[in-house]
Amino acid sequence: MTAMTMRAVQAVEAGGAFVPARVPVPEPGAGQVRVRVHACGVCAGEAIARHGLMGARHPRVPGHEIGGTVDAVGPGVSAWNPGDRVGVGWHGGQCSTCAACRTGDFANCAERLIVGADLDGGYAEYTVVPQSALARLPEALGFEEAAPLMCAGVTVFNALRKSGARPGDTVAVQGVGGLGHLAIQYADRMGFRVVAVSRGREKEEAARALGADDYIDASDAGGRGAGAALAAAGGARAVLATAGDAAAQADIAQGLQGNGTLLVAGTPHDPIPVSSLLLVTGRRSVQGCYSGHAKDSEEAMEFAVLTGIRPMVETYKLEEAEQAYGSMGTARFRGVLVP
């Protein structure tokens, strides 16, 4: 019997372009679910598969912002049924037995899986993942709306709700792009006074429409830098850095209030040169913002439905994955592949 095949896009060599291919439709094993992909967001995290980072092997199907439906279930799966609307994010499941998992810290599982890096992701018509990786999609969200919330959305949602900031506090969002435009909405709906920070004025109108109360042009901050401009305006209890620029992240940290936190979501892969004096004298801190597990994703989506948060998306055909990946720096604001 000839195996069924599907359309997919693969990373086939380190540093090479994404390549359309036909591959066998995967079969779910014990504890696994096959998802028919209706939409898959395009994220900078695809660099892991593209460049063979963090142990990723080639060929690999990237993609970890998946919205779809359950197509088939493997032995031992009882919580999911064919036709269920589901999402799959960065977190591809946990062992549930290591020291971190036993405390409920699934993000730090010793055996955690990354969708699109350790296992094939959503740049395909179907994907197979552990059942623990599935989040239930609210009926009010379309697949193209839900997909970006499975990584970009849950990352900024988790960062903000764990930041220590309270309603009425000032929170700055550095970068108004795929992550930042969602961070502005989440911060606004959580009751913070939101300051958007970006280079130039072309994104100011959009930032304010999304919920920003104020805007700082990082390229025109009176020669002082965006961090000094933020400090002069009263400073921020938290700064969520979504743009992957180490120098810009170090600069915006100058705008933290005492006891404030720089939340790093954008990863420049370079050291962030934050002054130790700045940290010590104001008891300020720098904190990494790691995505979230399936339940976190469900809560991020439920909050989005409750408060009217929606990603701004541009859709592409599956075969246009390379084009979509290359447009991330200019798209407004999140590319989504629609198989």
Side-chain angles (χ1 to χ4, degrees):
M1 182 176 178
T2 303
M4 293 180 61
T5 63
M6 66 177 182
R7 293 179 300 129
V9 171
Q10 295 178 318
V12 297
E13 61 179 356
F18 293 136
V19 179
R22 289 206 71 91
V23 300
V25 175
E27 292 294 330
Q32 295 182 328
V33 173
R34 183 168 69 208
V35 176
R36 179 186 176 191
V37 180
H38 291 268
C40 184
V42 178
C43 179
E46 264 79 274
I48 294 174
R50 191 178 184 90
H51 298 286
L53 306 176
M54 298 176 66
R57 299 179 180 179
H58 295 121
R60 175 64 72 209
V61 177
H64 57 268
E65 292 186 340
I66 302 167
T69 53
V70 173
D71 183 68
V73 300
V77 175
S78 59
W80 305 98
N81 298 294
D84 287 346
R85 302 175 78 252
V86 295
V88 181
W90 172 275
H91 185 77
Q94 66 277 346
C95 72
S96 299
T97 58
C98 71
C101 283
R102 291 174 67 191
T103 65
D105 185 8
F106 299 137
N108 281 312
C109 171
E111 303 295 331
R112 70 186 179 199
L113 299 173
I114 298 173
V115 176
D118 297 313
L119 47 89
D120 284 338
Y123 282 25
E125 294 181 279
Y126 297 91
T127 186
V128 165
V129 297
Q131 61 177 330
S132 60
L134 296 181
R136 201 170 296 277
L137 296 192
E139 290 293 335
L141 284 178
F143 295 114
E144 295 168 16
E145 295 174 322
L149 301 183
M150 295 304 303
C151 179
V154 67
T155 297
V156 298
F157 173 73
N158 268 347
L160 290 167
R161 68 173 173 169
K162 297 175 181 179
S163 68
R166 298 182 178 182
D169 285 347
T170 296
V171 170
V173 176
Q174 179 244 356
V176 186
L179 282 169
H181 90 286
L182 286 169
I184 291 169
Q185 293 181 74
Y186 275 109
D188 173 61
R189 307 312 192 272
M190 289 179 182
F192 304 133
R193 174 180 174 269
V194 184
V195 179
V197 183
S198 187
R199 294 187 64 83
R201 290 284 176 181
E202 61 272 12
K203 293 185 177 180
E204 180 175 4
E205 182 179 354
R208 290 185 182 275
L210 291 165
D213 299 289
D214 206 350
Y215 184 90
I216 292 175
D217 177 0
S219 65
D220 183 26
R224 300 171 297 173
L230 179 60
R237 177 64 179 81
V239 174
L240 179 50
T242 71
D245 184 319
Q249 291 174 355
D251 173 69
I252 198 66
Q254 306 294 319
L256 288 172
Q257 298 170 350
N259 300 308
T261 304
L262 175 65
L263 305 162
V264 180
T267 51
H269 302 287
D270 294 315
I272 303 172
V274 177
S275 164
S276 58
L277 186 63
L278 177 76
L279 301 179
V280 171
T281 57
R283 292 184 300 199
R284 300 172 181 89
S285 60
V286 179
Q287 179 178 318
C289 303
Y290 190 74
S291 183
H293 50 67
K295 182 58 177 173
D296 291 327
S297 295
E298 288 183 351
E299 292 171 358
M301 289 188 289
E302 290 164 358
F303 188 81
V305 170
L306 179 68
T307 60
I309 294 170
R310 294 294 186 274
M312 298 172 66
V313 303
E314 182 175 358
T315 59
Y316 296 84
K317 297 177 182 178
L318 181 61
E319 292 77 13
E320 297 174 325
E322 180 66 19
Q323 176 187 343
Y325 182 81
S327 72
M328 278 190 294
T330 58
R332 302 187 61 163
F333 285 96
R334 204 73 181 175
V336 176
L337 303 179
V338 183

